[in-house]
Amino acid sequence: MEHRQPKETADAERRISVRKKRAVQYGRKTIRIQVADRQEFTISEDLLCSTSGFFQRRLQPKRKPFDEDTECSICKEKLEPGVNDLVYCTAHCGSNFHYNCIERWRTEKREARQKIKCPFCRHDWPENSNEIAVHENHDIRPDPFSIFIEWLYHSHIAVEFHLDGDELDETPEPQIKEFIDAYVLGIKLKSSMFCRDVLEALLETSEETSRYPGPDAIHAAYNNTTRGSVLRLALIQLYANAAEAHWFKEEEDNDYPREFLQDLTAVLLEKDPDDRKWGLAKMKAEFITEEAIAHEGFDNDDEPEEVYNPSEQEHENRGEEMGAQNNPIVVDS
């Protein structure tokens, strides 16, 4: 159950940002990810691995890290990920090349009746396969993974609220708890950029609708994060801003985690009354930062030492190509 503060008016509008579109290459290899309930998602392997350390380690463990300044070993031009199709040596060295450069290399070797080998390590270059591999991850639930896939291709968290007259409907979709579930998934997938955008969407949604996570959502957050988690800190601040006494007195709503109640009490006792309520801008400045998100443990031993992460501009360009809206909240009128 969620908590809601009364509002004199419910400001609901569709916010659209229009920018020039730019073609973005997602890579040629497509895979299927099978999650819980045997639901499958078809997705570009390169796109998935570029934003998830979890999948990068499992699907492309040999691939060398690269960025916009890395050069193709064949043409010596910059790789320009997100603009050019790229491939890498899966047989041995993990070196990255332009797809077109490798195709020319392969053509030259075939015409010369020579074996096709990696231009860098000289191991045999595997033949292209049209087979779409299926990777099972049954511990991932479909709903939060759907939010992740939507974000991956559109670079925003889309939230729609159905309207009933002039008032916001009592059952928005997705529920506030879905943000918590999506954030927890982002920790598992080791995608700090996704966690950041989900948290920003959660803060904006609470500000926009005066709805706040209830006990179930708080339990989900505390059960899946550790002390110092920026998600915990943000939830505590949301409650410090808006909590009302009856939220804790109603019988069906008083099952909060003990640790959360202790954290909230400490904040309320430590802060000056004039400083307890933070505006949206201050919460974003405090919580939506790389340093804050880093407390979720993305640098532990389960993650590769280096994983290519696209720049914010590249990630934004994905949304431009798909015609995505850049605001993390979309409210249908």
Side-chain angles (χ1 to χ4, degrees), residues 99-162:
Y99 172 80
N100 290 336
C101 291
I102 280 292
E103 286 304 294
R104 285 195 296 270
W105 174 272
R106 287 159 54 90
T107 299
E108 291 173 3
K109 296 302 178 183
R110 277 195 296 265
E111 291 176 349
R113 298 182 181 277
Q114 297 177 359
K115 275 193 171 184
I116 302 173
K117 297 180 179 292
C118 171
F120 195 81
C121 68
R122 303 301 177 181
H123 279 69
D124 289 345
W125 188 272
E127 289 296 322
N128 293 334
S129 173
N130 294 323
E131 181 180 354
I132 299 179
V134 177
H135 300 271
E136 296 182 355
N137 294 270
H138 293 164
D139 57 337
I140 295 177
R141 294 192 293 110
D143 289 345
F145 196 66
S146 295
I147 295 175
F148 175 74
I149 297 299
E150 175 78 9
W151 168 84
L152 201 58
Y153 277 97
H154 296 270
S155 71
H156 76 305
I157 308 296
V159 181
E160 295 181 355
F161 292 95
H162 300 290

Side-chain angles (χ1 to χ4, degrees), residues 15-30:
R15 297 185 292 178
I16 301 176
S17 176
V18 179
R19 298 190 180 184
K20 185 177 180 181
K21 296 180 182 179
R22 175 184 173 189
V24 178
Q25 299 294 337
Y26 295 136
R28 292 177 175 267
K29 186 174 181 181
T30 301

Side-chain angles (χ1 to χ4, degrees), residues 59-124:
L59 303 180
Q60 299 182 347
K62 294 182 179 180
R63 190 169 199 168
K64 288 183 177 179
F66 61 95
D67 56 30
E68 60 272 12
D69 294 323
T70 305
E71 293 182 352
C72 171
S73 297
I74 297 177
C75 69
K76 302 304 181 183
E77 297 289 335
K78 291 183 178 180
L79 291 174
E80 292 189 283
V83 176
N84 297 310
D85 270 341
L86 305 179
V87 293
Y88 72 102
C89 175
T90 60
H92 182 67
C93 69
S95 296
N96 296 280
F97 309 93
H98 292 129
Y99 172 80
N100 290 336
C101 291
I102 280 292
E103 286 304 294
R104 285 195 296 270
W105 174 272
R106 287 159 54 90
T107 299
E108 291 173 3
K109 296 302 178 183
R110 277 195 296 265
E111 291 176 349
R113 298 182 181 277
Q114 297 177 359
K115 275 193 171 184
I116 302 173
K117 297 180 179 292
C118 171
F120 195 81
C121 68
R122 303 301 177 181
H123 279 69
D124 289 345

Side-chain angles (χ1 to χ4, degrees), residues 14 25 88 95 102 116 118 144 148 160 163 173 185 193 205 211 247 255 263 293 322 329:
R14 178 188 294 273
Q25 299 294 337
Y88 72 102
S95 296
I102 280 292
I116 302 173
C118 171
F148 175 74
E160 295 181 355
L163 298 182
E173 296 180 359
L185 174 65
M193 193 183 297
T205 299
R211 285 185 171 87
W247 291 7
D255 186 24
D263 291 341
I293 297 294
M322 303 296 291
I329 300 178

Side-chain angles (χ1 to χ4, degrees), residues 161-211:
F161 292 95
H162 300 290
L163 298 182
D164 181 14
D166 293 332
E167 293 294 326
L168 288 172
D169 187 78
E170 290 293 338
T171 55
E173 296 180 359
Q175 299 288 336
I176 293 294
K177 184 176 179 296
E178 292 188 41
F179 288 117
I180 307 297
D181 294 338
Y183 190 95
V184 170
L185 174 65
I187 295 175
K188 175 180 177 59
L189 299 186
K190 301 190 183 301
S191 179
S192 59
M193 193 183 297
F194 177 61
C195 285
R196 184 199 64 187
D197 287 355
V198 169
L199 184 57
E200 184 172 14
L202 170 61
L203 295 177
E204 290 196 7
T205 299
S206 292
E207 174 74 12
E208 190 89 12
T209 66
S210 293
R211 285 185 171 87

